[in-house]
């Protein structure tokens, strides 16, 4: 009976830790997506600034 309780506890702990890890990965992926979008917008802004200044690189 003790072995079964130990296995059950370990299983619950492993499941909990996997869920927390999945949450962290999701947050990380969200940051990566947002960074990619911001980089694209920055490129557009830089082009707009160049157009407004009339300066060529």
């Amino acid at each position: 009976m003790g072995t079964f309780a130990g296995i059950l506890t370990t299983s619950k702990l492993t499941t909990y830790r996997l869920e927390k890890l999945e949450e962290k990965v999701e947050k990380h992926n969200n940051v990566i997506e947002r960074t990619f979008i911001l980089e694209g917008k920055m490129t557009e802004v830089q082009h707009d600034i160049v157009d407004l200044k009339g300066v060529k690189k």
Side-chain angles (χ1 to χ4, degrees):
M1 188 58 100
T3 302
F4 179 72
I7 292 171
L8 186 60
T9 302
T10 302
S11 176
K12 286 181 182 180
L13 180 60
T14 301
T15 301
Y16 173 78
R17 293 183 74 190
L18 280 173
E19 288 172 358
K20 291 300 176 185
L21 183 59
E22 288 171 350
E23 288 174 12
K24 287 182 180 182
V25 168
E26 184 61 35
K27 286 180 184 178
H28 176 266
N29 288 344
N30 202 3
V31 169
I32 297 299
E33 290 174 18
R34 290 172 51 198
T35 301
F36 180 75
I37 291 169
L38 288 173
E39 287 175 347
K41 288 182 180 181
M42 283 304 301
T43 301
E44 292 176 22
V45 169
Q46 289 172 342
H47 289 299
D48 291 346
I49 290 171
V50 168
D51 290 344
L52 289 171
K53 286 184 175 182
V55 177
K56 294 188 178 191
K57 289 185 176 180

